[in-house]
Amino acid sequence: MAGAVEWVKAALLEVQEYVAMLARTARGVVSPPFYYKDVVQQFDAIGIGSLTVVLLTGTFTGMVLALQSGITLDQFGARSMVGRLVSASIVKELGPVLTGLMVAGRVGSGIAAELGSMMVTDQIAALRALGTDPVRKLVVPRVVAGTVMVPILTIISDAVGMLGGAVISSLQLKVASSVYWNNVIAGLYMEDVYMGLIKPVVLGFVLVTIGCHVGLRTKGGTQGVGRATTNAVVAGSVAVLVFDFLITKLLITLMY
């Protein structure tokens, strides 16, 4: 019983610290000093650095989705409709979620390891001693970059995913390219596009803030950094899936 109480107290403390960090981050976004150079560096680290894995993930997701969809649609004599299924699935769900998971694995772990290393080597304490707010200097640039770049990466993933689907539809399923692309356009509604753009904004914000929080709460030397890295990936990935469901439920209620 005592162990359960301690676990609940520790969990509530983590939530409290996370919310406090979000409040300090929000204040750092709207009030000076601003560290523009750090923001640009994080655009490169989070956006350009994640481009390769996002391109590969999006392309092969579109290809396998077209391949599997063709088999299923053949049962109804509707192979030509594969474009509708691919476009709707990728834009509304698979693009944002898989991009979020890839970025959580690559960026979330990197942020936690970097900030965790700075914590255990007292570099964060040194920043405070020099009068620099660690949240403004380290967290705000990463949160801004993640919130901006994850939607851009998602758009790229959606595009290459539909291109991958077009390749498989043409070469494997023998569906004419014009038929595929007409169905891609016909299968998308503006509500789907809005959903596909709103989700990655929230997911990018959540996974980067979790990585920062875990990194700043690191203790215990190099072993602590390892634990923080693992925790950031697990918590970020789970948060992506949970928030994906919550946002989907909310947007369906509001828009459809």
Side-chain angles (χ1 to χ4, degrees):
M1 185 65 181
V5 172
E6 289 297 322
W7 185 87
V8 171
K9 286 171 64 177
L12 291 175
L13 177 62
E14 288 296 325
V15 172
Q16 175 185 313
E17 291 293 326
Y18 178 68
V19 172
M21 189 200 75
L22 292 184
R24 293 196 298 272
T25 302
R27 191 163 59 245
V29 170
V30 297
S31 61
F34 302 111
Y35 297 94
Y36 297 108
K37 185 178 179 181
D38 293 326
V39 173
V40 174
Q41 288 176 343
Q42 292 306 315
F43 278 148
D44 176 66
I46 293 174
I48 307 301
S50 302
L51 193 56
T52 303
V53 68
V54 167
L55 286 171
L56 290 171
T57 303
T59 301
F60 285 102
T61 299
M63 293 171 76
V64 75
L65 187 60
L67 203 57
Q68 296 279 25
S69 303
I71 296 171
T72 303
L73 292 172
D74 273 347
Q75 300 173 13
F76 306 98
R79 179 184 290 192
S80 61
M81 306 296 285
V82 67
R84 285 177 178 254
L85 202 152
V86 169
S87 64
S89 301
I90 286 180
V91 170
K92 288 197 294 184
E93 190 62 33
L94 291 176
V97 171
L98 290 177
T99 302
L101 290 174
M102 291 300 105
V103 174
R106 184 191 171 277
V107 173
S109 61
I111 289 173
E114 190 176 356
L115 297 187
S117 298
M118 295 179 74
M119 278 295 294
V120 299
T121 56
D122 292 328
Q123 293 181 54
I124 303 289
L127 282 175
R128 290 195 179 98
L130 293 169
T132 302
D133 183 357
V135 172
R136 289 180 185 271
K137 176 69 174 172
L138 301 174
V139 176
V140 171
R142 287 168 171 77
V143 171
V144 171
T147 307
V148 172
M149 293 308 299
V150 171
I152 294 173
L153 291 170
T154 301
I155 293 170
I156 295 170
S157 177
D158 293 345
V160 297
M162 286 186 276
L163 284 171
V167 171
I168 293 299
S169 296
S170 177
L171 299 180
Q172 184 77 25
L173 304 178
K174 306 304 181 185
V175 175
S177 294
S178 58
V179 174
Y180 174 85
W181 289 112
N182 285 335
N183 275 287
V184 165
I185 295 169
L188 283 178
Y189 300 95
M190 284 311 299
E191 291 85 353
D192 301 337
V193 176
Y194 293 147
M195 180 180 288
L197 291 176
I198 292 170
K199 276 186 182 181
V201 173
V202 179
L203 298 182
F205 175 82
V206 168
L207 66 89
V208 172
T209 51
I210 287 175
C212 291
H213 168 71
V214 172
L216 291 175
R217 297 281 291 167
T218 302
K219 53 180 179 257
T222 53
Q223 287 185 330
V225 174
R227 283 194 301 270
T229 305
T230 304
N231 292 340
V233 175
V234 173
S237 300
V238 171
V240 164
L241 298 174
V242 170
F243 276 89
D244 172 61
F245 170 76
L246 296 175
I247 299 164
T248 301
K249 181 70 174 172
L250 177 63
L251 293 180
I252 287 175
T253 304
L254 294 176
M255 295 195 305
Y256 290 87

